[in-house]
Amino acid sequence: MKTYTASKMADALALVKRDLGSDAVILHTRAYKRGGVLGIGAKSVVEITATDDPGASAKRKRVQHRRAPERQPAGPPLQPRSAPDPSAGDLIRRTYAVAQHELAKKQAAAVASNPPPPVPPSPAQAAQPPTPMAAAIPVDQQQLVEEMRTVKRMVREMADQQRRREMVRPKNQKSRGRPDIPDKLFDQYLCLLEQEVAEELAEEVVQQVQDTLNPIELEDESAVRRAALEVIARQIPADGGAGQLQPTDDRRPRTIALVGPTGVGKTTTIAKLAATFKLKQKKNVGLITMDTYRIAAVDQLRTYAHIIGIPLHVVASAHELAGAVRLCAGCDVVLLDTAGRGQRDDPHLEELRTLLGAAKPHEVHLVLSSTCSQSVLMEVVDRFSVVGFDKLIFTKLDEAVSFGVLLNVARKVNKRLSYVTTGQEVPHHIEPGRSERLAALVLGEGARAC
Ligand code: GDP
């Protein structure tokens, strides 16, 4: 085990690689300031402790390493304290961030001191489509970009090896004694992490695939992918099918309410559902909106109702809502649009719950936008549990940043996915919720309607 220090992460990693080779295992990294007086003139130091001992990852758990707090004050390092080992993913992200920061600094300094004249691209460069980064920076900075790519590749290689060694071994008989995660499966695992699938969930998927396939299948990329798809799909509860209406047992029309924060696409989704039921399934549709807070929303829905050829009831109180529901008694299905509530708006959430009490919907679907982060989605889920809901709709799949987040949320919430929407067009961009479809998205297939 050796410790390397340098002023930059990239330099320290280069030292590690030169000395221990690319099989080196990073045991820990830290950054701190050294020297100076009362913080003035202190120099940044990056420290990497690494080893070329292949069995180190097992011991690694026992190494009490020192890691500096996020903001280390100038001066000697603080009293050592134990901290959890950084995960391989953390290492990649951190190192890449440091390298990127270095590059940005060098670029800014170079541009400030000497703005370079435009240089025509060499024939080799002209033949290649520029990467966004390469296109944005002067040619004499290409070397830096290359350096950064090398650092990224190197860290990834090291982290991959480290992670491989650390992966939890499957516990059943079949896989016992297998030395490593097969390459194809490991690629799938990294792909899941890149899609922001939670680490425990990604590991679970890998284990289940490994337990399902035989060694020959595990070397076959498409077999691994198929198995991963099936395992992921099993994690996503969904209505599936063709989005047909289920009969009710209380002789009322099936009453469906959509709830969720403002702007997630409730009104648009209601219009898509109304059109699907009326025009494709030839059902008698009742449409009620409680979204009287936004004139535009009522107008928008009225226009859709007019085009589809169904009446729209606009209600502002529980009393009016009960009346509108009675007027729709002869319909096959009644769709309720509700006003968006901020997830922190407790009084309004309570009011919404009371309003829904007057309509007694058979189904309440919580509408979540795929453009939100996992923490926002989970906060919305948490707050709307006051209102109560039994299904989930993911909207804006066409704009989703990461499908892994949707998988994490669907699994945590454990309510059936009823529909997904994939664009702004009414009525086309809506599909019934299907586990395999979302699983395929998590594994990197496009979001537009199939
Ligand atoms: P509400 O406030 O929840 O009722 O949201 P709206 O139905 O008014 O939709 C807000 C915005 O999201 C509008 O501009 C819609 O066109 C847009 N929108 C709705 N569904 C989708 C979708 O699936 N994809 C995309 N890209 N935009 C959507």
Side-chain angles (χ1 to χ4, degrees):
M1 185 173 79
K2 289 185 183 170
T3 299
Y4 300 83
T5 51
S7 57
K8 285 181 234 112
M9 182 63 89
D11 295 344
L13 278 165
L15 288 175
V16 173
K17 188 165 187 191
R18 193 199 61 198
D19 210 18
L20 302 180
S22 47
D23 277 350
V25 176
I26 297 173
L27 295 171
H28 93 269
T29 60
R30 68 178 186 135
Y32 58 89
K33 299 264 189 194
R34 191 158 63 188
V37 178
L38 294 175
I40 299 162
K43 291 213 164 60
S44 297
V45 178
V46 175
E47 186 183 283
I48 297 182
T49 304
T51 178
D52 54 0
D53 171 7
S57 53
K59 291 177 214 156
R60 187 171 173 270
K61 293 279 168 234
R62 295 198 295 274
V63 175
Q64 282 280 304
H65 73 255
R66 298 185 299 171
R67 190 162 65 170
E70 290 285 280
R71 279 165 192 272
Q72 178 86 15
L78 290 179
Q79 188 62 24
R81 59 181 187 136
S82 63
D85 289 333
S87 73
D90 283 347
L91 279 173
I92 296 175
R93 274 188 289 276
R94 258 192 265 153
T95 310
Y96 196 45
V98 170
Q100 232 164 355
H101 180 67
E102 286 297 325
L103 176 63
K105 258 187 3 199
K106 281 188 186 173
Q107 262 181 268
V111 170
S113 64
N114 181 22
V119 180
S122 70
Q125 282 164 343
Q128 286 179 357
T131 62
M133 192 180 292
I137 65 172
V139 171
D140 63 353
Q141 303 266 327
Q142 290 295 335
Q143 194 195 339
L144 283 173
V145 176
E146 263 318 307
E147 267 177 32
M148 207 173 92
R149 285 207 189 107
T150 311
V151 169
K152 190 188 172 198
R153 208 168 32 242
M154 218 168 77
V155 175
R156 195 184 150 106
E157 276 168 21
M158 288 179 178
D160 282 3
Q161 283 159 5
Q162 181 185 337
R163 192 182 276 285
R164 254 169 211 250
R165 294 181 185 119
E166 285 176 358
M167 290 276 294
V168 185
R169 291 270 91 78
K171 291 168 192 68
N172 72 2
Q173 279 294 332
K174 198 173 148 199
S175 349
R176 191 173 289 157
R178 194 173 294 159
D180 245 335
I181 305 294
D183 279 355
K184 302 290 183 289
L185 189 51
F186 192 69
D187 288 347
Q188 205 67 85
Y189 176 70
L190 288 179
C191 158
L192 292 178
L193 291 190
E194 271 161 30
Q195 276 290 338
E196 292 182 45
V197 173
E199 231 166 281
E200 328 78 71
L201 184 48
E203 283 181 13
E204 220 178 294
V205 170
V206 164
Q207 281 197 11
Q208 286 190 34
V209 171
Q210 196 166 20
D211 290 349
T212 316
L213 299 183
N214 65 37
I216 294 167
E217 290 167 330
L218 280 168
E219 298 304 324
D220 175 351
E221 197 175 330
S222 58
V224 167
R225 192 181 165 76
R226 250 191 333 270
L229 196 126
E230 278 170 26
V231 170
I232 295 170
R234 282 203 296 272
Q235 311 286 334
I236 306 165
D239 273 355
Q244 297 291 335
L245 283 174
Q246 298 301 313
T248 58
D249 46 19
D250 59 3
R251 297 192 174 183
R252 292 190 302 132
R254 178 153 285 274
T255 307
I256 301 173
L258 265 54
V259 300
T262 309
V264 292
K266 288 183 301 302
T267 305
T268 315
T269 305
I270 283 269
K272 288 171 183 172
L273 286 175
T276 305
F277 290 137
K278 170 80 181 174
L279 307 175
K280 288 196 187 152
Q281 299 185 19
K282 310 289 179 217
K283 300 289 181 195
N284 197 354
V285 182
L287 194 53
I288 302 174
T289 180
M290 301 186 239
D291 193 356
T292 50
Y293 289 85
R294 290 187 309 149
I295 304 294
V298 176
D299 285 348
Q300 183 191 350
L301 203 52
R302 187 171 283 123
T303 307
Y304 284 127
H306 181 70
I307 296 168
I308 301 164
I310 52 178
L312 171 69
H313 304 271
V314 183
V315 301
S317 66
H319 179 70
E320 285 180 16
L321 177 57
V325 168
R326 274 196 301 279
L327 286 174
C328 295
C331 294
D332 299 308
V333 58
V334 176
L335 300 170
L336 293 179
D337 192 12
T338 62
R341 307 288 182 195
Q343 65 265 29
R344 300 199 176 116
D345 190 350
D346 287 335
H348 280 130
L349 287 171
E350 194 52 52
E351 189 188 318
L352 176 59
R353 194 169 78 97
T354 313
L355 268 172
L356 285 180
K360 299 189 182 59
H362 297 94
E363 302 170 13
V364 178
H365 302 228
L366 175 63
V367 184
L368 295 174
S369 167
S370 316
T371 58
C372 295
S373 68
Q374 181 160 335
S375 58
V376 169
L377 292 176
M378 287 315 295
E379 190 184 350
V380 171
V381 165
D382 195 35
R383 304 315 287 259
F384 275 83
S385 39
V386 172
V387 177
F389 60 93
D390 33 45
K391 308 222 179 201
L392 285 183
I393 294 178
F394 286 136
T395 57
K396 311 192 188 186
L397 255 59
D398 53 309
E399 289 182 355
V401 185
S402 130
F403 295 108
V405 164
L406 303 187
L407 171 63
N408 300 340
V409 170
R411 189 168 188 243
K412 267 199 184 139
V413 177
N414 202 23
K415 302 277 187 199
R416 297 179 90 76
L417 182 65
S418 56
Y419 295 96
V420 296
T421 77
T422 55
Q424 290 178 296
E425 266 176 50
V426 177
H428 307 297
H429 288 146
I430 187 161
E431 302 170 31
R434 287 197 310 267
S435 315
E436 298 75 20
R437 168 86 161 117
L438 193 54
L441 290 172
V442 172
L443 290 179
E445 290 175 16
R448 282 285 178 186
C450 0

